[in-house]
Amino acid sequence: MTQAGEAKKIWVTLSGLPLTISLEWPFHRSTSGADFWVLHGDIRLENSDGLHAPVAVNLSATVREVVASLEPVDVEAPVINALRKEVDHRQIEFVKSGKLKPVAFSSRHYDFKRGKWVFGKATDEEIATFIERTVYWGTKLKSNSPPSRPEREKDGAPGVEDRVWIGDPTEAQYLETTAEHLLEIAGRLAGDGLLRMEGEWAEATAELMGRAERFEGAMRSAVEGLEKKHAFERG
């Protein structure tokens, strides 16, 4: 979660949308009598004219049995990734004002056989594109900070607003890979002159930022796809 005084974290989707996600902890039991827990939140589409999607994350009893607790330390990452996946699947509509959208946080995101969260395995090519977009949007929006880390507090360390955390385990979970593999692919991008790496952190180069139209075009295409899908459903 973003703490007071910290820059907000940009969560990029595989379709290329830069999001910020606010969650109103804690989960609470449903007041409707149904056997599930609810967490309210809001997904904001950054680089837009105030578009957002208020959501109610409904955690099923089946998933409640496999999570250690309903505290952020145990479920924040899969909640964020479940919301991103709903955006990927065009199930969430971004509007300037809107009704609360229920989002199922259910066993479809959990592999009981392997005992892990699954959101769809990305290819190396998809991961490379994802990292490029993440660093671009994090740099452009000046809001790419994950929770504070000790190494960023050392005297003389570059400002966190200039860096993007590549080794974030939430990102690894979303792409069904490992933080180590994300860093490996980021290293290849650094070799191509698109990033500068320092440990788990990446900084955009002028060459990456010069590809703005590619990233902004992907965002426009993704937004158009969302709008067309929801316009069709409304008839």
Side-chain angles (χ1 to χ4, degrees), residues 132 136 189 192-194 205-217:
E132 289 178 15
Y136 170 79
L189 296 174
D192 293 335
L194 297 174
T205 63
E207 183 173 347
L208 180 73
M209 299 308 292
R211 300 184 179 185
E213 181 52 37
R214 176 188 300 180
F215 306 124
E216 309 246 354

PDB file of all heavy atoms in Angstrom, residues 132 136 189 192-194 205-217:
ATOM      1  N   GLU A 132       9.076  -2.373 -20.310  1.00  0.00           N
ATOM      2  CA  GLU A 132       9.248  -1.095 -21.008  1.00  0.00           C
ATOM      3  C   GLU A 132       8.114  -0.139 -20.652  1.00  0.00           C
ATOM      4  O   GLU A 132       8.343   1.039 -20.345  1.00  0.00           O
ATOM      5  CB  GLU A 132       9.269  -1.324 -22.529  1.00  0.00           C
ATOM      6  CG  GLU A 132      10.513  -2.018 -23.054  1.00  0.00           C
ATOM      7  CD  GLU A 132      10.437  -2.241 -24.551  1.00  0.00           C
ATOM      8  OE1 GLU A 132       9.577  -1.610 -25.209  1.00  0.00           O
ATOM      9  OE2 GLU A 132      11.212  -3.049 -25.077  1.00  0.00           O
ATOM     10  N   TYR A 136       8.339   3.325 -18.532  1.00  0.00           N
ATOM     11  CA  TYR A 136       7.911   4.553 -19.216  1.00  0.00           C
ATOM     12  C   TYR A 136       6.866   5.301 -18.392  1.00  0.00           C
ATOM     13  O   TYR A 136       7.013   6.496 -18.106  1.00  0.00           O
ATOM     14  CB  TYR A 136       7.336   4.230 -20.595  1.00  0.00           C
ATOM     15  CG  TYR A 136       6.672   5.439 -21.224  1.00  0.00           C
ATOM     16  CD1 TYR A 136       7.431   6.433 -21.835  1.00  0.00           C
ATOM     17  CD2 TYR A 136       5.286   5.610 -21.160  1.00  0.00           C
ATOM     18  CE1 TYR A 136       6.828   7.565 -22.379  1.00  0.00           C
ATOM     19  CE2 TYR A 136       4.679   6.731 -21.700  1.00  0.00           C
ATOM     20  CZ  TYR A 136       5.448   7.707 -22.304  1.00  0.00           C
ATOM     21  OH  TYR A 136       4.846   8.831 -22.813  1.00  0.00           O
ATOM     22  N   LEU A 189      17.149  -5.470 -21.641  1.00  0.00           N
ATOM     23  CA  LEU A 189      16.698  -4.158 -22.118  1.00  0.00           C
ATOM     24  C   LEU A 189      17.754  -3.089 -21.825  1.00  0.00           C
ATOM     25  O   LEU A 189      17.943  -2.165 -22.624  1.00  0.00           O
ATOM     26  CB  LEU A 189      15.368  -3.785 -21.465  1.00  0.00           C
ATOM     27  CG  LEU A 189      14.176  -4.698 -21.806  1.00  0.00           C
ATOM     28  CD1 LEU A 189      12.956  -4.307 -20.981  1.00  0.00           C
ATOM     29  CD2 LEU A 189      13.861  -4.634 -23.295  1.00  0.00           C
ATOM     30  N   ASP A 192      20.240  -3.152 -24.422  1.00  0.00           N
ATOM     31  CA  ASP A 192      19.764  -2.526 -25.661  1.00  0.00           C
ATOM     32  C   ASP A 192      19.694  -1.009 -25.546  1.00  0.00           C
ATOM     33  O   ASP A 192      19.250  -0.333 -26.485  1.00  0.00           O
ATOM     34  CB  ASP A 192      18.369  -3.063 -26.020  1.00  0.00           C
ATOM     35  CG  ASP A 192      18.390  -4.536 -26.402  1.00  0.00           C
ATOM     36  OD1 ASP A 192      19.450  -5.012 -26.852  1.00  0.00           O
ATOM     37  OD2 ASP A 192      17.345  -5.198 -26.263  1.00  0.00           O
ATOM     38  N   GLY A 193      20.100  -0.485 -24.391  1.00  0.00           N
ATOM     39  CA  GLY A 193      20.127   0.959 -24.211  1.00  0.00           C
ATOM     40  C   GLY A 193      18.816   1.591 -23.796  1.00  0.00           C
ATOM     41  O   GLY A 193      18.669   2.821 -23.838  1.00  0.00           O
ATOM     42  N   LEU A 194      17.838   0.772 -23.364  1.00  0.00           N
ATOM     43  CA  LEU A 194      16.531   1.307 -22.998  1.00  0.00           C
ATOM     44  C   LEU A 194      16.424   1.635 -21.510  1.00  0.00           C
ATOM     45  O   LEU A 194      15.596   2.476 -21.115  1.00  0.00           O
ATOM     46  CB  LEU A 194      15.425   0.309 -23.368  1.00  0.00           C
ATOM     47  CG  LEU A 194      15.300   0.003 -24.864  1.00  0.00           C
ATOM     48  CD1 LEU A 194      14.275  -1.100 -25.089  1.00  0.00           C
ATOM     49  CD2 LEU A 194      14.899   1.260 -25.625  1.00  0.00           C
ATOM     50  N   THR A 205      15.999   5.504 -20.032  1.00  0.00           N
ATOM     51  CA  THR A 205      16.943   6.286 -20.833  1.00  0.00           C
ATOM     52  C   THR A 205      16.146   7.176 -21.789  1.00  0.00           C
ATOM     53  O   THR A 205      14.935   7.009 -21.968  1.00  0.00           O
ATOM     54  CB  THR A 205      17.859   5.373 -21.648  1.00  0.00           C
ATOM     55  OG1 THR A 205      17.051   4.628 -22.582  1.00  0.00           O
ATOM     56  CG2 THR A 205      18.630   4.402 -20.753  1.00  0.00           C
ATOM     57  N   ALA A 206      16.849   8.096 -22.423  1.00  0.00           N
ATOM     58  CA  ALA A 206      16.202   8.975 -23.405  1.00  0.00           C
ATOM     59  C   ALA A 206      15.631   8.162 -24.555  1.00  0.00           C
ATOM     60  O   ALA A 206      14.587   8.505 -25.120  1.00  0.00           O
ATOM     61  CB  ALA A 206      17.210  10.001 -23.917  1.00  0.00           C
ATOM     62  N   GLU A 207      16.295   7.053 -24.875  1.00  0.00           N
ATOM     63  CA  GLU A 207      15.800   6.215 -25.978  1.00  0.00           C
ATOM     64  C   GLU A 207      14.440   5.614 -25.637  1.00  0.00           C
ATOM     65  O   GLU A 207      13.538   5.580 -26.475  1.00  0.00           O
ATOM     66  CB  GLU A 207      16.794   5.106 -26.296  1.00  0.00           C
ATOM     67  CG  GLU A 207      16.366   4.243 -27.479  1.00  0.00           C
ATOM     68  CD  GLU A 207      17.421   3.243 -27.930  1.00  0.00           C
ATOM     69  OE1 GLU A 207      18.590   3.370 -27.482  1.00  0.00           O
ATOM     70  OE2 GLU A 207      17.081   2.359 -28.720  1.00  0.00           O
ATOM     71  N   LEU A 208      14.280   5.145 -24.396  1.00  0.00           N
ATOM     72  CA  LEU A 208      12.987   4.586 -23.996  1.00  0.00           C
ATOM     73  C   LEU A 208      11.912   5.674 -24.018  1.00  0.00           C
ATOM     74  O   LEU A 208      10.821   5.472 -24.566  1.00  0.00           O
ATOM     75  CB  LEU A 208      13.070   3.977 -22.596  1.00  0.00           C
ATOM     76  CG  LEU A 208      11.747   3.375 -22.096  1.00  0.00           C
ATOM     77  CD1 LEU A 208      11.449   2.068 -22.816  1.00  0.00           C
ATOM     78  CD2 LEU A 208      11.770   3.159 -20.596  1.00  0.00           C
ATOM     79  N   MET A 209      12.207   6.829 -23.431  1.00  0.00           N
ATOM     80  CA  MET A 209      11.219   7.905 -23.371  1.00  0.00           C
ATOM     81  C   MET A 209      10.899   8.438 -24.769  1.00  0.00           C
ATOM     82  O   MET A 209       9.821   8.987 -24.998  1.00  0.00           O
ATOM     83  CB  MET A 209      11.706   9.026 -22.463  1.00  0.00           C
ATOM     84  CG  MET A 209      11.952   8.587 -21.011  1.00  0.00           C
ATOM     85  SD  MET A 209      10.541   7.722 -20.262  1.00  0.00           S
ATOM     86  CE  MET A 209       9.343   9.057 -20.147  1.00  0.00           C
ATOM     87  N   GLY A 210      11.816   8.248 -25.706  1.00  0.00           N
ATOM     88  CA  GLY A 210      11.581   8.672 -27.080  1.00  0.00           C
ATOM     89  C   GLY A 210      10.589   7.789 -27.819  1.00  0.00           C
ATOM     90  O   GLY A 210      10.172   8.117 -28.938  1.00  0.00           O
ATOM     91  N   ARG A 211      10.232   6.661 -27.198  1.00  0.00           N
ATOM     92  CA  ARG A 211       9.245   5.755 -27.800  1.00  0.00           C
ATOM     93  C   ARG A 211       7.846   6.013 -27.242  1.00  0.00           C
ATOM     94  O   ARG A 211       6.989   5.129 -27.221  1.00  0.00           O
ATOM     95  CB  ARG A 211       9.653   4.302 -27.562  1.00  0.00           C
ATOM     96  CG  ARG A 211      11.010   3.964 -28.168  1.00  0.00           C
ATOM     97  CD  ARG A 211      11.356   2.498 -27.996  1.00  0.00           C
ATOM     98  NE  ARG A 211      12.654   2.187 -28.596  1.00  0.00           N
ATOM     99  CZ  ARG A 211      13.167   0.970 -28.687  1.00  0.00           C
ATOM    100  NH1 ARG A 211      12.484  -0.074 -28.205  1.00  0.00           N
ATOM    101  NH2 ARG A 211      14.347   0.765 -29.243  1.00  0.00           N
ATOM    102  N   ALA A 212       7.607   7.242 -26.799  1.00  0.00           N
ATOM    103  CA  ALA A 212       6.351   7.594 -26.138  1.00  0.00           C
ATOM    104  C   ALA A 212       5.126   7.224 -26.973  1.00  0.00           C
ATOM    105  O   ALA A 212       4.137   6.702 -26.445  1.00  0.00           O
ATOM    106  CB  ALA A 212       6.335   9.084 -25.816  1.00  0.00           C
ATOM    107  N   GLU A 213       5.164   7.483 -28.264  1.00  0.00           N
ATOM    108  CA  GLU A 213       3.993   7.237 -29.093  1.00  0.00           C
ATOM    109  C   GLU A 213       3.602   5.758 -29.086  1.00  0.00           C
ATOM    110  O   GLU A 213       2.412   5.422 -29.140  1.00  0.00           O
ATOM    111  CB  GLU A 213       4.241   7.714 -30.521  1.00  0.00           C
ATOM    112  CG  GLU A 213       3.043   7.526 -31.465  1.00  0.00           C
ATOM    113  CD  GLU A 213       1.745   8.109 -30.929  1.00  0.00           C
ATOM    114  OE1 GLU A 213       1.788   9.172 -30.279  1.00  0.00           O
ATOM    115  OE2 GLU A 213       0.683   7.491 -31.163  1.00  0.00           O
ATOM    116  N   ARG A 214       4.592   4.888 -29.008  1.00  0.00           N
ATOM    117  CA  ARG A 214       4.296   3.452 -28.955  1.00  0.00           C
ATOM    118  C   ARG A 214       3.497   3.111 -27.695  1.00  0.00           C
ATOM    119  O   ARG A 214       2.475   2.413 -27.748  1.00  0.00           O
ATOM    120  CB  ARG A 214       5.596   2.645 -28.974  1.00  0.00           C
ATOM    121  CG  ARG A 214       5.378   1.148 -28.832  1.00  0.00           C
ATOM    122  CD  ARG A 214       6.683   0.406 -28.668  1.00  0.00           C
ATOM    123  NE  ARG A 214       7.586   0.600 -29.802  1.00  0.00           N
ATOM    124  CZ  ARG A 214       8.797   0.051 -29.894  1.00  0.00           C
ATOM    125  NH1 ARG A 214       9.242  -0.723 -28.908  1.00  0.00           N
ATOM    126  NH2 ARG A 214       9.555   0.282 -30.941  1.00  0.00           N
ATOM    127  N   PHE A 215       3.941   3.640 -26.544  1.00  0.00           N
ATOM    128  CA  PHE A 215       3.277   3.327 -25.278  1.00  0.00           C
ATOM    129  C   PHE A 215       1.926   4.038 -25.160  1.00  0.00           C
ATOM    130  O   PHE A 215       0.942   3.451 -24.698  1.00  0.00           O
ATOM    131  CB  PHE A 215       4.192   3.715 -24.112  1.00  0.00           C
ATOM    132  CG  PHE A 215       5.563   3.089 -24.199  1.00  0.00           C
ATOM    133  CD1 PHE A 215       6.701   3.876 -24.175  1.00  0.00           C
ATOM    134  CD2 PHE A 215       5.712   1.715 -24.313  1.00  0.00           C
ATOM    135  CE1 PHE A 215       7.964   3.312 -24.275  1.00  0.00           C
ATOM    136  CE2 PHE A 215       6.972   1.136 -24.411  1.00  0.00           C
ATOM    137  CZ  PHE A 215       8.106   1.941 -24.392  1.00  0.00           C
ATOM    138  N   GLU A 216       1.871   5.285 -25.584  1.00  0.00           N
ATOM    139  CA  GLU A 216       0.624   6.033 -25.502  1.00  0.00           C
ATOM    140  C   GLU A 216      -0.387   5.487 -26.511  1.00  0.00           C
ATOM    141  O   GLU A 216      -1.592   5.460 -26.257  1.00  0.00           O
ATOM    142  CB  GLU A 216       0.891   7.522 -25.739  1.00  0.00           C
ATOM    143  CG  GLU A 216       2.015   8.067 -24.872  1.00  0.00           C
ATOM    144  CD  GLU A 216       1.569   9.090 -23.847  1.00  0.00           C
ATOM    145  OE1 GLU A 216       0.388   9.471 -23.868  1.00  0.00           O
ATOM    146  OE2 GLU A 216       2.414   9.490 -23.028  1.00  0.00           O
ATOM    147  N   GLY A 217       0.113   5.022 -27.660  1.00  0.00           N
ATOM    148  CA  GLY A 217      -0.768   4.411 -28.642  1.00  0.00           C
ATOM    149  C   GLY A 217      -1.378   3.124 -28.124  1.00  0.00           C
ATOM    150  O   GLY A 217      -2.562   2.839 -28.365  1.00  0.00           O
TER     151      GLY A 217
END
